[in-house]
Amino acid sequence: AILYIPSFPLLIIAFLALAILRPFRLNEWFVLLMGMLAPAYFICVWLYLSDKLVYIQKEISYIHIVPVSTENLLIPVAALCTVLLIIIAGIILWQNNSGRMVIQIRKSWFILFISLLLLAPGVFFFNNAWPLALMLSTVPAAAFISNAFLNTKQAIIRAIYFWLIIAIIIYMNWVYI
């Protein structure tokens, strides 16, 4: 999973999580760095020994800003706007309730927020990454969406969130089928 190019922000997230959640110990940072470099090292050694180093240059050319290109952009934009609305509601509710959280939980939510911010734009920076690179941000997005459902006091707002998600699922499946 680390060798999947759009998952490179996970490396930054791992270092941030280690810095935020744990006190500094040099051996932990070294083990994390070696664990991250080992797959790339073994791939490079294999490519060198098999005389196929040109594949590394091909993978590096994979990283550049590209517009999202789909045949019908209306459906994904509608789905993303619906989900983004609920994610923003979850982030606002997280901020409102963060004063009552234990410090360790507050740190964990912050790491989820940073991972959402770093993983979601990956769709725009990697060629041919749509929509698979967006799936990397589903874990932090699901946490904030569940927070929107859990911490909303009015049942009518929860029902609106629910029916918005159901409507977009039906609409997307109706068009694609």
Side-chain angles (χ1 to χ4, degrees), residues 116-143:
L116 182 66
L117 289 180
L118 290 177
L119 289 171
V123 175
F124 302 108
F125 293 109
F126 301 106
N127 193 15
N128 298 326
W130 173 264
L132 297 176
L134 199 58
M135 291 184 66
L136 292 170
S137 61
T138 56
V139 172

Side-chain angles (χ1 to χ4, degrees), residues 4-146:
Y4 178 55
I5 302 290
S7 70
F8 280 164
L10 288 174
L11 305 176
I12 298 168
I13 293 166
F15 278 114
L16 284 173
L18 185 63
I20 291 171
L21 293 175
R22 304 274 300 158
F24 180 76
R25 292 193 182 106
L26 186 62
N27 60 346
E28 289 178 353
W29 285 80
F30 186 69
V31 167
L32 180 63
L33 182 65
M34 290 296 110
M36 290 179 178
L37 292 178
Y41 172 75
F42 288 123
I43 290 290
C44 289
V45 165
W46 179 74
L47 290 174
Y48 175 75
L49 292 176
S50 62
D51 199 26
K52 296 178 183 177
L53 282 176
V54 293
Y55 290 123
I56 294 175
Q57 184 180 10
K58 178 183 164 192
E59 289 298 319
I60 289 174
S61 68
Y62 185 66
I63 303 170
H64 60 281
I65 297 176
V66 293
V68 174
S69 61
T70 61
E71 56 279 347
N72 187 2
L73 200 59
L74 177 67
I75 298 165
V77 167
L80 288 176
C81 287
T82 304
V83 170
L84 192 62
L85 173 81
I86 300 172
I87 289 173
I88 290 172
I91 290 171
I92 291 170
L93 288 169
W94 162 60
Q95 286 295 319
N96 292 342
N97 295 327
S98 67
R100 296 188 306 229
M101 293 179 188
V102 181
I103 293 174
Q104 191 71 18
I105 303 229
R106 212 177 300 164
K107 289 178 182 181
S108 300
W109 274 102
F110 181 71
I111 291 169
L112 282 172
F113 180 68
I114 293 296
S115 63
L116 182 66
L117 289 180
L118 290 177
L119 289 171
V123 175
F124 302 108
F125 293 109
F126 301 106
N127 193 15
N128 298 326
W130 173 264
L132 297 176
L134 199 58
M135 291 184 66
L136 292 170
S137 61
T138 56
V139 172
F144 285 108
I145 289 172
S146 67

